[in-house]
Amino acid sequence: MALRPVQVNIKALDHFAVGRFWAESLGWSAFSGGSGVTTYVGPVGGFVWPDPVTVGIDVVPVPEPKTTTKNRVHLDLSTTSAAHQAELVARLQVLGATPAHVGQSKVPWTVLADREGNEFCVLEPREIYRGTGPIAAVVVDCADPRAMARFWDEAIDWTLHEVTDDHAVLRSAKGVGPYLEFLRTPDVKTVPDRIHLDLLPYPSDDQAAEVARLRALGATDLDLGQGDVPWTCLADPEGHEFCVLAPS
């Protein structure tokens, strides 16, 4: 039994515009669902889902705008040189990104927000992120990285690379794609997550059994008004929302 992170889910007022922004930012393609209720952003070369290497982005429409509260989940983008970092920041601002201030002081990375205010970071070159693709990491703010590491190490089939009082890091056991990182922060969760992970069982695994396993690990059921849907909404021990999709 295992689950794999397959996409980052972003809520948006205008999922077409936000989907286009992220596709152009990452050098990927946007594929709109036939029903018009989602825009999937993934690597160029045709729609492949789940992607065997990277974690895609699924942008879904919601009626509520983002609040002024900083998201507790964000993306870090990788760069290969100082020149690449500067070029990427400039290009992102042309695409509609704006500078964001989340309490950072003088840091070597640049904090921006997408067209609807979702914060993300453009990192300075770091050797650890060479080969991740354009998304270096999915970063989650939390109170206890060690507790998050215990839950997520059991919840998904990724490998735990590092855990300290301030930081926990996981990555696909295949050594490909982005990292999943948990950072200790002083703020607490006060609003529903605007960004969350979607997890997918393998075809031979049972979705209900996986959900039961997660509940035993400390996940709790979550009612977001989703109604009768083929996925299950849960929250981890610190309340971060995530979904378990139906096997495909």
Side-chain angles (χ1 to χ4, degrees):
M1 299 175 68
L3 290 164
R4 47 194 163 145
V6 291
Q7 60 192 24
V8 176
N9 185 290
I10 300 178
K11 299 179 177 68
L13 288 173
D14 186 343
H15 65 99
F16 290 116
V18 173
R20 283 195 304 271
F21 169 84
W22 282 105
E24 293 172 358
S25 297
L26 301 174
W28 288 358
S29 297
F31 308 90
S32 294
S35 63
V37 298
T38 185
T39 297
Y40 184 80
V41 179
V44 174
F47 182 79
V48 177
W49 191 90
D51 190 276
V53 174
T54 194
V55 174
I57 296 176
D58 190 35
V59 187
V60 300
V62 294
E64 307 86 7
K66 181 184 180 295
T67 69
T68 57
T69 303
K70 177 176 72 74
N71 286 338
R72 290 181 63 77
V73 181
H74 73 266
L75 299 180
D76 280 352
L77 306 189
S78 64
T79 62
T80 57
S81 66
H84 180 209
Q85 182 185 17
E87 180 277 329
L88 180 56
V89 169
R91 184 165 62 85
L92 290 164
Q93 289 179 306
V94 170
L95 293 173
T98 54
H101 300 281
V102 293
Q104 75 271 23
S105 54
K106 186 174 177 58
V107 293
W109 59 87
T110 300
V111 184
L112 299 174
D114 71 12
R115 287 177 172 270
E116 293 198 3
N118 298 300
E119 303 89 357
F120 65 96
C121 297
V122 181
L123 302 180
E124 76 285 2
R126 300 185 193 180
E127 187 62 32
I128 189 174
Y129 298 129
R130 290 189 182 274
T132 61
I135 300 176
V138 180
V139 184
V140 182
D141 294 348
C142 67
D144 188 346
R146 290 188 182 277
M148 289 294 94
R150 286 192 295 273
F151 173 83
W152 284 94
D153 188 34
E154 293 290 338
I156 61 178
D157 67 347
W158 285 16
T159 299
L160 183 63
H161 283 254
E162 177 186 356
V163 58
T164 70
D165 289 344
D166 296 316
H167 192 210
V169 180
L170 298 96
R171 194 186 189 194
S172 166
K174 298 176 182 178
V176 296
Y179 289 81
L180 174 61
E181 303 183 359
F182 295 90
L183 297 181
R184 181 186 292 275
T185 58
D187 52 317
V188 297
K189 189 173 186 297
T190 58
V191 298
D193 290 332
R194 197 76 177 173
I195 300 175
H196 70 258
L197 278 175
D198 284 343
L199 311 181
L200 182 69
Y202 285 89
S204 60
D205 289 334
D206 180 74
Q207 180 187 23
E210 285 295 317
V211 169
R213 183 176 67 84
L214 292 169
R215 290 185 184 121
L217 292 173
T220 53
D221 291 294
L222 190 65
D223 185 358
L224 299 172
Q226 64 268 23
D228 185 16
V229 292
W231 57 87
T232 301
C233 298
L234 299 171
D236 73 13
E238 287 200 12
H240 301 102
E241 295 97 341
F242 66 95
C243 293
V244 180
L245 308 179
S248 62

